[in-house]
Amino acid sequence: MTGLVLGLDVGGTKLAAGVAEPTGRLRSFLHEPTRVDEGPEAVIAHLVDLGRRAVGEVGANLEAIDAIGIGCGGPLDAERGIIQDPPNLPGWTDIPLKELIEDALGRPAFVANDADAAALGEHRFGAGRGVDHLVYLTISTGIGGGIVAGGRLYGGVSGNAGEIGHVSVSYDGWPCVCGRRGCPEAFASGTNIARRAREALAAGDPSSLAGTDVTAKDVAEAAAAGDALAVRIWDETMVVLGATVANVLNAFDPALVILGGGVTHAGDLLFEPVRRLALAQTLGPQARDARIVPAALGSRTGVLGAVAVALERKAADTAGVAA
Ligand SMILES: [Zn+2]
């Protein structure tokens, strides 16, 4: 037993692999584009290769790896490690990822929804260390979430709990790809912030963003500089995110809400209004004491989250055998 764990992160745009110690100290970290159009078989072959290289980079061989954690876009069956058609991985219909990785690398593997993994990673190694009740939200190309309750990941029956991006804040609001209306993801994800700005520009609203290929980052920067269109788009986004975080506080009564993902790089421009709006809408005094803070693991979130999943599930398996 070396205690070393291999973390694998399967994203729609990026694959990442790293070897970490149980403390979360990363000994290697590699990433490459996902090339999702090549299909699951090719992507998994690339992932296996990336994992082997990450192990090789620390001067170890696979026998030195205690367990492999894998974070992947959901929906998925976390227990059996089967990927069930995630929107960001077209063609991944009932892919037995756990089995394929175990067959290829010969070590026990554990699969989790990537946002759940990130929540556990922040709990073990990041902004949530020492906090047993927390919710993590990623505000990126989509909006995902993960729940840590009593120091353990709360996955629900199938391991897909925490889909807070699809907990509507407006039952008759804007449409979402999931079929509901008023989902935070369909309004306040990076992709949708940019889309709403482009639509406002196309409607002829004057703005310093005119004529550019607008991203959410551009909207944040223009809002900070006082551009009226960008300020309006950003403020509306904050109202939705504030309501989203208020729902989280009312539903889970966490001590901490951690916000990560590219959109949160806007810093105070995001955290100040989200804190103010969310805390103003919560019910109990405990919820008003909750802290709303930035994620700490940055680009390492996916891999360290996967490592945290492997450590937790391996410990649970061992305890199960001992019992
Ligand atoms: Zn939705």
Side-chain angles (χ1 to χ4, degrees):
M1 296 279 281
T2 61
L4 291 178
V5 174
L6 172 63
L8 302 174
D9 180 30
V10 187
T13 55
K14 197 185 77 176
L15 297 177
V19 172
E21 298 170 3
T23 57
R25 191 170 91 86
L26 259 184
R27 299 265 298 269
S28 64
F29 180 70
L30 300 170
H31 59 88
E32 64 181 43
T34 301
R35 287 176 276 178
V36 71
D37 51 315
E38 292 182 11
E41 201 174 326
V43 170
I44 290 165
H46 294 313
L47 182 68
V48 165
D49 178 57
L50 199 65
R52 283 187 194 281
R53 283 191 278 140
V55 173
E57 232 179 55
V58 303
N61 53 30
L62 281 163
E63 286 74 61
I65 300 299
D66 279 353
I68 302 170
I70 310 166
C72 185
L76 49 77
D77 179 328
E79 193 59 42
R80 291 157 65 216
I82 295 172
I83 312 303
Q84 296 160 327
D85 242 340
N88 68 340
L89 296 168
W92 288 53
T93 308
D94 296 324
I95 299 295
L97 185 60
K98 171 185 165 76
E99 192 183 313
L100 292 169
I101 295 294
E102 286 183 340
D103 287 352
L105 296 177
R107 309 303 299 154
F110 304 92
V111 174
N113 175 299
D114 49 8
D116 283 359
L120 201 57
E122 288 287 341
H123 168 62
R124 278 208 177 223
F125 309 128
R129 261 180 297 183
V131 179
D132 280 346
H133 299 282
L134 67 84
V135 177
Y136 169 86
L137 287 183
T138 174
I139 309 163
S140 179
T141 50
I143 294 182
I147 301 151
V148 172
R152 300 281 306 271
L153 185 63
Y154 176 76
V157 171
S158 63
N160 290 298
E163 288 288 1
I164 291 151
H166 299 279
V167 175
S168 174
V169 292
S170 175
Y171 75 90
D172 58 353
W174 54 91
C176 180
V177 288
C178 77
R180 300 189 74 194
R181 286 184 170 272
C183 292
E185 173 168 298
F187 194 90
S189 69
T191 315
N192 284 299
I193 293 170
R195 173 188 56 77
R196 287 166 41 233
R198 282 195 300 271
E199 286 172 3
L201 288 168
D205 297 7
S207 168
S208 61
L209 295 168
T212 65
D213 186 14
V214 184
T215 64
K217 185 164 179 274
D218 298 331
V219 176
E221 285 170 1
D227 179 271
L229 179 148
V231 167
R232 175 165 56 81
I233 299 287
W234 191 257
D235 286 353
E236 289 167 358
T237 306
M238 295 306 105
V239 169
V240 166
L241 290 178
T244 303
V245 173
N247 285 348
V248 164
L249 293 171
N250 282 341
F252 300 105
D253 188 20
L256 187 66
V257 177
I258 301 172
L259 305 181
V263 175
T264 64
H265 296 162
D268 285 347
L269 192 67
L270 180 137
F271 281 90
E272 191 282 320
V274 168
R275 280 190 193 109
R276 178 169 45 77
L277 292 162
L279 296 179
Q281 297 177 67
T282 52
L283 291 175
Q286 301 89 333
R288 286 193 284 274
D289 289 338
R291 289 182 299 129
I292 299 165
V293 304
L297 300 179
S299 61
R300 269 67 170 163
T301 301
V303 162
L304 284 173
V307 166
V309 166
L311 289 169
E312 177 172 289
R313 300 264 290 278
K314 186 134 201 306
D317 277 9
T318 308
V321 170

Coordinates of all heavy atoms in Angstrom, one line a residue, residues 108-196:
P108 N -8.6 -1.2 -8.9 CA -10.0 -0.9 -8.6 C -10.4 0.5 -9.0 O -9.6 1.4 -8.6 CB -10.2 -1.2 -7.1 CG -8.8 -1.2 -6.6 CD -7.9 -1.6 -7.7
A109 N -11.5 0.7 -9.7 CA -11.8 2.1 -10.1 C -13.2 2.4 -9.5 O -14.1 1.6 -9.4 CB -11.8 2.2 -11.6
F110 N -13.4 3.7 -9.3 CA -14.7 4.2 -8.7 C -15.1 5.5 -9.5 O -14.3 6.4 -9.8 CB -14.5 4.6 -7.2 CG -14.0 3.5 -6.4 CD1 -12.6 3.3 -6.2 CD2 -14.9 2.6 -5.8 CE1 -12.1 2.2 -5.5 CE2 -14.4 1.5 -5.1 CZ -13.0 1.3 -4.9
V111 N -16.4 5.5 -9.9 CA -16.9 6.5 -10.8 C -17.8 7.4 -10.1 O -18.6 6.9 -9.3 CB -17.6 5.9 -12.0 CG1 -18.3 6.9 -12.9 CG2 -16.6 5.1 -12.9
A112 N -17.8 8.7 -10.3 CA -18.8 9.7 -9.8 C -19.0 10.7 -10.8 O -18.2 11.0 -11.7 CB -18.2 10.3 -8.5
N113 N -20.2 11.3 -10.6 CA -20.6 12.5 -11.4 C -19.5 13.6 -11.1 O -19.1 13.7 -10.0 CB -22.0 12.9 -10.8 CG -22.5 14.2 -11.4 OD1 -21.8 15.3 -11.2 ND2 -23.6 14.2 -12.0
D114 N -19.1 14.3 -12.2 CA -18.0 15.2 -12.0 C -18.2 16.3 -11.0 O -17.3 16.7 -10.2 CB -17.5 15.8 -13.3 CG -18.5 16.3 -14.2 OD1 -19.7 16.4 -13.7 OD2 -18.2 16.6 -15.4
A115 N -19.4 16.8 -10.9 CA -19.7 17.9 -9.9 C -19.7 17.3 -8.5 O -19.3 18.0 -7.5 CB -21.0 18.6 -10.2
D116 N -20.2 16.1 -8.3 CA -20.2 15.4 -7.0 C -18.7 15.2 -6.6 O -18.3 15.4 -5.5 CB -20.9 14.0 -7.1 CG -22.4 14.1 -7.1 OD1 -22.9 15.3 -7.0 OD2 -23.0 13.1 -7.1
A117 N -17.9 14.8 -7.6 CA -16.5 14.6 -7.3 C -15.8 15.9 -6.9 O -15.1 16.0 -5.9 CB -15.8 14.0 -8.5
A118 N -16.2 17.0 -7.6 CA -15.6 18.3 -7.2 C -16.0 18.7 -5.8 O -15.2 19.3 -5.1 CB -16.0 19.3 -8.3
A119 N -17.2 18.4 -5.5 CA -17.7 18.8 -4.1 C -16.9 18.0 -3.1 O -16.4 18.6 -2.1 CB -19.2 18.4 -4.0
L120 N -16.6 16.8 -3.3 CA -15.9 16.0 -2.4 C -14.4 16.4 -2.4 O -13.7 16.4 -1.3 CB -16.0 14.5 -2.7 CG -15.7 13.5 -1.7 CD1 -16.6 13.7 -0.4 CD2 -15.8 12.1 -2.2
G121 N -13.9 16.8 -3.5 CA -12.5 17.3 -3.6 C -12.3 18.6 -2.8 O -11.4 18.7 -2.1
E122 N -13.3 19.5 -3.0 CA -13.2 20.8 -2.2 C -13.3 20.5 -0.7 O -12.7 21.1 0.1 CB -14.3 21.7 -2.6 CG -14.0 22.4 -4.0 CD -12.9 23.4 -4.0 OE1 -12.5 23.9 -3.0 OE2 -12.3 23.7 -5.1
H123 N -14.1 19.5 -0.3 CA -14.3 19.1 1.1 C -13.0 18.5 1.7 O -12.6 18.9 2.8 CB -15.5 18.1 1.2 CG -15.6 17.4 2.5 ND1 -15.8 18.1 3.7 CD2 -15.4 16.1 2.9 CE1 -15.8 17.2 4.7 NE2 -15.6 16.0 4.2
R124 N -12.4 17.6 0.9 CA -11.2 17.0 1.5 C -9.9 17.9 1.4 O -9.1 17.8 2.3 CB -10.9 15.7 0.7 CG -11.7 14.5 1.1 CD -10.9 13.3 0.8 NE -11.7 12.1 1.3 CZ -11.1 11.1 2.0 NH1 -9.8 11.1 2.2 NH2 -11.8 10.1 2.4
F125 N -9.8 18.6 0.2 CA -8.5 19.2 0.0 C -8.6 20.7 -0.3 O -7.6 21.4 -0.4 CB -7.9 18.6 -1.3 CG -7.9 17.1 -1.4 CD1 -8.4 16.4 -2.4 CD2 -7.3 16.4 -0.3 CE1 -8.3 15.0 -2.5 CE2 -7.2 15.0 -0.4 CZ -7.7 14.3 -1.4
G126 N -9.8 21.3 -0.4 CA -9.9 22.7 -0.8 C -10.6 23.6 0.2 O -10.3 23.6 1.4
A127 N -11.5 24.4 -0.4 CA -12.2 25.5 0.4 C -13.1 24.9 1.5 O -13.5 25.7 2.4 CB -13.0 26.4 -0.5
G128 N -13.4 23.6 1.5 CA -14.3 23.0 2.4 C -13.7 22.1 3.5 O -14.4 21.4 4.1
R129 N -12.4 22.2 3.6 CA -11.7 21.4 4.6 C -12.2 21.6 6.0 O -12.4 22.7 6.4 CB -10.2 21.6 4.6 CG -9.4 20.6 3.7 CD -8.0 20.9 3.7 NE -7.7 22.2 3.1 CZ -6.5 22.6 2.9 NH1 -5.4 21.9 3.3 NH2 -6.3 23.8 2.3
G130 N -12.6 20.5 6.7 CA -13.1 20.6 8.0 C -14.6 21.0 8.1 O -15.1 21.1 9.2
V131 N -15.2 21.2 7.0 CA -16.7 21.6 7.0 C -17.5 20.3 6.6 O -17.3 19.9 5.4 CB -16.9 22.7 6.0 CG1 -18.4 23.1 6.1 CG2 -16.1 23.9 6.4
D132 N -18.3 19.8 7.4 CA -19.0 18.6 7.2 C -20.3 18.7 6.4 O -20.9 17.8 5.8 CB -19.3 17.8 8.5 CG -18.1 17.1 9.0 OD1 -17.2 16.9 8.2 OD2 -18.1 16.7 10.1
H133 N -20.9 20.0 6.3 CA -22.1 20.2 5.6 C -21.9 21.3 4.6 O -21.8 22.5 5.0 CB -23.3 20.6 6.5 CG -23.6 19.5 7.5 ND1 -24.3 18.4 7.2 CD2 -23.3 19.4 8.8 CE1 -24.4 17.6 8.3 NE2 -23.8 18.2 9.3
L134 N -21.7 20.9 3.3 CA -21.4 22.0 2.3 C -22.1 21.6 1.0 O -22.4 20.4 0.7 CB -19.9 22.2 2.1 CG -19.0 21.1 1.5 CD1 -19.1 21.1 0.0 CD2 -17.6 21.3 2.0
V135 N -22.3 22.6 0.2 CA -22.8 22.4 -1.2 C -21.8 23.1 -2.1 O -21.4 24.2 -1.9 CB -24.2 22.9 -1.4 CG1 -24.7 22.7 -2.8 CG2 -25.2 22.2 -0.5
Y136 N -21.5 22.4 -3.2 CA -20.6 23.0 -4.2 C -21.4 23.2 -5.5 O -22.2 22.3 -5.9 CB -19.4 22.0 -4.5 CG -18.6 22.3 -5.7 CD1 -17.5 23.2 -5.6 CD2 -18.9 21.8 -6.9 CE1 -16.7 23.5 -6.7 CE2 -18.1 22.1 -8.1 CZ -17.0 23.0 -7.9 OH -16.3 23.3 -9.0
L137 N -21.2 24.4 -6.1 CA -21.9 24.6 -7.4 C -20.8 25.0 -8.4 O -19.9 25.8 -8.1 CB -22.8 25.8 -7.2 CG -24.2 25.6 -6.5 CD1 -25.0 26.9 -6.6 CD2 -24.9 24.5 -7.2
T138 N -20.8 24.4 -9.5 CA -19.9 24.9 -10.6 C -20.8 25.7 -11.6 O -21.8 25.2 -12.1 CB -19.2 23.7 -11.3 OG1 -18.4 24.2 -12.4 CG2 -20.1 22.6 -11.8
I139 N -20.3 26.9 -11.9 CA -21.0 27.7 -12.9 C -20.0 27.9 -14.0 O -19.1 28.7 -14.0 CB -21.3 29.1 -12.2 CG1 -22.1 28.8 -10.9 CG2 -22.2 29.9 -13.2 CD1 -22.1 30.1 -10.0
S140 N -20.2 27.1 -15.0 CA -19.2 27.0 -16.1 C -20.0 26.9 -17.4 O -20.9 27.7 -17.6 CB -18.4 25.7 -15.9 OG -17.5 25.5 -16.9
T141 N -19.6 26.0 -18.4 CA -20.5 25.9 -19.6 C -21.9 25.5 -19.2 O -22.8 25.9 -19.8 CB -19.9 24.9 -20.6 OG1 -19.6 23.7 -19.8 CG2 -18.6 25.4 -21.2
G142 N -22.0 24.7 -18.1 CA -23.3 24.4 -17.5 C -23.3 24.8 -16.1 O -22.3 25.4 -15.6
I143 N -24.3 24.4 -15.3 CA -24.3 24.6 -13.9 C -24.6 23.2 -13.2 O -25.6 22.6 -13.5 CB -25.4 25.6 -13.4 CG1 -25.0 27.0 -14.0 CG2 -25.5 25.6 -11.9 CD1 -26.0 28.1 -13.5
G144 N -23.6 22.8 -12.4 CA -23.8 21.5 -11.7 C -23.6 21.7 -10.2 O -23.1 22.7 -9.8
G145 N -23.9 20.6 -9.5 CA -23.7 20.8 -8.0 C -23.4 19.4 -7.4 O -23.6 18.4 -8.0
G146 N -22.9 19.5 -6.2 CA -22.6 18.3 -5.4 C -22.8 18.7 -3.9 O -22.6 19.8 -3.5
I147 N -23.3 17.7 -3.2 CA -23.7 17.9 -1.8 C -22.8 17.0 -0.9 O -22.7 15.8 -1.1 CB -25.1 17.5 -1.6 CG1 -26.0 18.3 -2.5 CG2 -25.6 17.7 -0.1 CD1 -27.3 17.6 -3.0
V148 N -22.2 17.6 0.1 CA -21.5 16.8 1.2 C -22.3 17.0 2.4 O -22.5 18.2 2.9 CB -20.0 17.3 1.4 CG1 -19.4 16.6 2.6 CG2 -19.2 17.0 0.1
A149 N -22.8 15.9 3.0 CA -23.7 16.0 4.2 C -23.0 15.1 5.2 O -22.7 13.9 4.9 CB -25.1 15.5 3.9
G150 N -22.8 15.6 6.4 CA -22.2 14.8 7.5 C -20.8 14.3 7.1 O -20.4 13.2 7.5
G151 N -20.1 15.0 6.3 CA -18.8 14.6 5.9 C -18.7 13.6 4.8 O -17.6 13.2 4.4
R152 N -19.9 13.2 4.2 CA -19.9 12.2 3.1 C -20.6 12.8 1.9 O -21.5 13.6 2.1 CB -20.7 11.0 3.6 CG -20.1 10.2 4.8 CD -18.9 9.4 4.4 NE -19.2 8.4 3.3 CZ -19.7 7.2 3.5 NH1 -20.0 6.8 4.7 NH2 -20.0 6.4 2.5
L153 N -20.2 12.3 0.8 CA -20.9 12.8 -0.4 C -22.3 12.2 -0.4 O -22.6 11.1 -0.2 CB -20.2 12.2 -1.7 CG -20.7 12.6 -3.0 CD1 -20.5 14.1 -3.2 CD2 -19.9 11.9 -4.1
Y154 N -23.3 13.1 -0.7 CA -24.7 12.7 -0.8 C -25.0 12.5 -2.2 O -25.2 13.5 -3.0 CB -25.6 13.7 -0.1 CG -27.1 13.2 -0.3 CD1 -27.6 12.1 0.5 CD2 -27.9 13.8 -1.3 CE1 -28.8 11.7 0.2 CE2 -29.2 13.3 -1.5 CZ -29.6 12.2 -0.8 OH -30.9 11.7 -1.0
G155 N -25.1 11.3 -2.7 CA -25.3 11.0 -4.1 C -26.7 10.7 -4.5 O -27.1 10.7 -5.7
G156 N -27.6 10.4 -3.5 CA -28.9 10.0 -3.8 C -28.9 8.5 -4.2 O -27.9 7.8 -4.0
V157 N -30.0 8.0 -4.7 CA -30.1 6.5 -5.0 C -29.1 6.1 -6.1 O -28.5 5.1 -6.0 CB -31.6 6.2 -5.4 CG1 -31.7 4.8 -5.9 CG2 -32.5 6.4 -4.2
S158 N -29.0 7.0 -7.1 CA -28.3 6.6 -8.3 C -26.9 7.3 -8.4 O -26.1 7.0 -9.3 CB -29.1 6.8 -9.5 OG -29.3 8.2 -9.7
G159 N -26.7 8.2 -7.5 CA -25.4 9.0 -7.6 C -25.5 10.2 -8.5 O -24.5 10.8 -8.9
N160 N -26.8 10.7 -8.7 CA -27.0 11.9 -9.5 C -27.5 13.0 -8.8 O -28.0 14.0 -9.4 CB -27.8 11.5 -10.7 CG -27.1 10.6 -11.7 OD1 -26.1 11.0 -12.3 ND2 -27.6 9.4 -11.8
A161 N -27.5 13.0 -7.4 CA -28.1 14.1 -6.7 C -27.2 15.4 -6.9 O -26.1 15.3 -7.4 CB -28.0 13.8 -5.2
G162 N -27.9 16.5 -6.6 CA -27.1 17.8 -6.7 C -27.3 18.5 -8.1 O -26.5 19.4 -8.3
E163 N -28.2 18.1 -8.9 CA -28.4 18.8 -10.2 C -29.1 20.1 -10.0 O -30.2 20.3 -10.5 CB -29.2 17.9 -11.2 CG -28.4 16.7 -11.7 CD -27.4 17.0 -12.7 OE1 -27.2 18.2 -13.0 OE2 -26.7 16.1 -13.2
I164 N -28.4 21.0 -9.3 CA -29.1 22.3 -8.9 C -29.2 23.2 -10.1 O -30.1 24.1 -10.0 CB -28.2 22.8 -7.7 CG1 -28.5 21.9 -6.5 CG2 -28.6 24.3 -7.4 CD1 -27.3 21.9 -5.5
G165 N -28.4 23.0 -11.1 CA -28.6 23.7 -12.3 C -30.0 23.5 -13.0 O -30.4 24.3 -13.9
H166 N -30.7 22.5 -12.6 CA -32.0 22.2 -13.1 C -33.1 22.2 -12.0 O -34.1 21.6 -12.2 CB -32.0 20.9 -13.9 CG -31.0 20.9 -15.1 ND1 -31.3 21.5 -16.3 CD2 -29.7 20.5 -15.2 CE1 -30.3 21.5 -17.1 NE2 -29.3 20.9 -16.4
V167 N -32.8 22.9 -11.0 CA -33.8 23.2 -10.0 C -34.4 24.6 -10.3 O -33.7 25.6 -10.1 CB -33.3 23.2 -8.5 CG1 -34.3 23.6 -7.5 CG2 -32.7 21.8 -8.2
S168 N -35.6 24.6 -10.9 CA -36.1 25.8 -11.5 C -36.2 26.9 -10.5 O -36.6 26.7 -9.4 CB -37.5 25.5 -12.2 OG -38.0 26.7 -12.6
V169 N -36.0 28.1 -11.0 CA -36.3 29.3 -10.1 C -37.4 30.1 -10.7 O -37.7 31.2 -10.3 CB -35.0 30.2 -10.0 CG1 -33.9 29.5 -9.1 CG2 -34.4 30.6 -11.3
S170 N -38.1 29.6 -11.8 CA -39.2 30.3 -12.5 C -40.0 29.3 -13.3 O -39.6 28.9 -14.4 CB -38.6 31.4 -13.4 OG -39.6 32.0 -14.1
Y171 N -41.1 28.8 -12.7 CA -41.7 27.6 -13.3 C -42.3 27.9 -14.7 O -42.4 27.0 -15.5 CB -42.9 27.1 -12.4 CG -44.1 28.0 -12.4 CD1 -45.1 27.8 -13.3 CD2 -44.2 29.1 -11.5 CE1 -46.3 28.6 -13.3 CE2 -45.3 29.9 -11.5 CZ -46.4 29.6 -12.5 OH -47.4 30.4 -12.5
D172 N -42.6 29.2 -15.0 CA -43.0 29.5 -16.4 C -42.0 30.3 -17.1 O -42.3 31.1 -18.0 CB -44.4 30.2 -16.3 CG -44.4 31.5 -15.5 OD1 -43.3 31.7 -14.9 OD2 -45.4 32.2 -15.5
G173 N -40.7 30.2 -16.7 CA -39.7 31.0 -17.3 C -39.1 30.5 -18.6 O -39.8 29.8 -19.3
W174 N -37.9 30.8 -18.8 CA -37.2 30.5 -20.1 C -37.1 29.0 -20.2 O -36.9 28.3 -19.2 CB -35.8 31.1 -20.1 CG -35.0 30.8 -18.8 CD1 -34.2 29.8 -18.6 CD2 -35.1 31.5 -17.5 NE1 -33.7 29.7 -17.3 CE2 -34.3 30.8 -16.7 CE3 -35.8 32.6 -17.1 CZ2 -34.1 31.1 -15.3 CZ3 -35.6 33.0 -15.7 CH2 -34.8 32.2 -14.9
P175 N -37.1 28.4 -21.5 CA -37.0 27.0 -21.6 C -35.5 26.5 -21.4 O -34.6 27.2 -21.6 CB -37.4 26.8 -23.1 CG -37.1 28.1 -23.8 CD -37.2 29.2 -22.7
C176 N -35.5 25.2 -21.0 CA -34.2 24.6 -20.8 C -34.1 23.3 -21.7 O -35.1 22.7 -21.9 CB -34.0 24.2 -19.3 SG -32.4 23.4 -18.9
V177 N -32.9 22.9 -22.0 CA -32.8 21.7 -22.8 C -33.3 20.4 -22.1 O -33.6 19.4 -22.7 CB -31.3 21.4 -23.2 CG1 -30.8 22.4 -24.3 CG2 -30.4 21.4 -22.0
C178 N -33.4 20.5 -20.8 CA -33.9 19.3 -20.0 C -35.4 19.2 -20.1 O -36.0 18.2 -19.6 CB -33.5 19.5 -18.5 SG -34.5 20.6 -17.5
G179 N -36.1 20.2 -20.7 CA -37.6 20.1 -20.8 C -38.3 21.0 -19.8 O -39.5 21.2 -20.0
R180 N -37.6 21.4 -18.8 CA -38.3 22.3 -17.8 C -38.2 23.7 -18.2 O -37.6 24.1 -19.2 CB -37.7 22.1 -16.4 CG -37.7 20.7 -15.8 CD -37.3 20.7 -14.4 NE -38.3 21.3 -13.5 CZ -38.1 21.7 -12.3 NH1 -36.9 21.6 -11.8 NH2 -39.1 22.2 -11.6
R181 N -38.8 24.6 -17.4 CA -38.6 26.1 -17.6 C -38.0 26.7 -16.4 O -38.2 26.2 -15.3 CB -39.9 26.7 -17.9 CG -40.5 26.4 -19.3 CD -41.8 27.1 -19.6 NE -42.1 27.0 -21.0 CZ -41.6 27.8 -21.9 NH1 -40.9 28.9 -21.6 NH2 -41.9 27.6 -23.2
G182 N -37.2 27.7 -16.6 CA -36.7 28.5 -15.5 C -35.5 27.9 -14.8 O -35.1 28.2 -13.7
C183 N -34.8 27.0 -15.5 CA -33.6 26.3 -14.9 C -32.4 27.4 -14.8 O -32.2 28.1 -15.8 CB -33.1 25.1 -15.7 SG -34.2 23.8 -15.7
P184 N -31.7 27.4 -13.7 CA -30.6 28.3 -13.6 C -29.6 28.1 -14.7 O -29.0 29.1 -15.3 CB -30.0 28.0 -12.2 CG -31.1 27.4 -11.4 CD -32.0 26.7 -12.4
E185 N -29.3 26.8 -15.1 CA -28.3 26.6 -16.1 C -28.7 27.3 -17.4 O -27.8 27.8 -18.1 CB -28.2 25.1 -16.4 CG -27.3 24.7 -17.5 CD -26.9 23.3 -17.6 OE1 -26.2 22.8 -16.7 OE2 -27.2 22.6 -18.6
A186 N -30.0 27.2 -17.8 CA -30.4 27.8 -19.1 C -30.3 29.3 -19.2 O -30.6 29.9 -20.2 CB -31.8 27.3 -19.4
F187 N -30.0 29.9 -18.0 CA -29.9 31.4 -18.0 C -28.5 31.9 -17.5 O -28.0 32.8 -18.1 CB -31.0 31.9 -17.0 CG -31.3 33.4 -17.0 CD1 -32.3 33.8 -17.8 CD2 -30.5 34.3 -16.2 CE1 -32.6 35.2 -17.9 CE2 -30.8 35.6 -16.3 CZ -31.8 36.1 -17.1
A188 N -27.9 31.2 -16.5 CA -26.8 31.8 -15.8 C -25.5 31.0 -16.0 O -24.5 31.4 -15.5 CB -27.1 31.9 -14.4
S189 N -25.5 30.0 -16.9 CA -24.2 29.3 -17.2 C -23.4 30.2 -18.1 O -24.0 31.2 -18.7 CB -24.5 28.0 -17.9 OG -25.0 28.2 -19.2
G190 N -22.1 30.0 -18.2 CA -21.3 30.8 -19.0 C -21.8 30.9 -20.5 O -21.9 32.0 -21.1
T191 N -22.2 29.7 -21.0 CA -22.7 29.6 -22.3 C -23.9 30.5 -22.5 O -24.1 31.2 -23.5 CB -23.1 28.1 -22.6 OG1 -22.1 27.3 -22.1 CG2 -23.3 27.9 -24.1
N192 N -24.8 30.5 -21.5 CA -26.1 31.2 -21.6 C -26.0 32.7 -21.3 O -26.7 33.5 -21.8 CB -27.2 30.5 -20.8 CG -27.6 29.2 -21.5 OD1 -28.2 29.3 -22.6 ND2 -27.4 28.1 -20.9
I193 N -25.0 33.1 -20.5 CA -24.7 34.5 -20.3 C -24.3 35.1 -21.7 O -24.8 36.1 -22.1 CB -23.6 34.7 -19.2 CG1 -24.1 34.3 -17.9 CG2 -23.2 36.2 -19.2 CD1 -23.0 34.2 -16.8
A194 N -23.4 34.4 -22.3 CA -22.9 34.8 -23.6 C -24.0 34.9 -24.7 O -24.2 35.8 -25.4 CB -21.8 33.9 -24.1
R195 N -24.9 33.8 -24.7 CA -26.0 33.8 -25.6 C -26.9 35.0 -25.4 O -27.4 35.6 -26.3 CB -26.7 32.5 -25.5 CG -28.0 32.4 -26.3 CD -28.9 31.2 -26.0 NE -29.3 31.1 -24.6 CZ -30.2 31.8 -24.0 NH1 -30.9 32.7 -24.7 NH2 -30.5 31.6 -22.7
R196 N -27.3 35.2 -24.1 CA -28.2 36.4 -23.8 C -27.6 37.7 -24.3 O -28.3 38.6 -24.8 CB -28.6 36.4 -22.4 CG -29.5 35.2 -22.0 CD -29.6 35.0 -20.5 NE -29.7 36.2 -19.8 CZ -28.9 36.5 -18.7 NH1 -28.0 35.6 -18.3 NH2 -29.0 37.6 -18.1

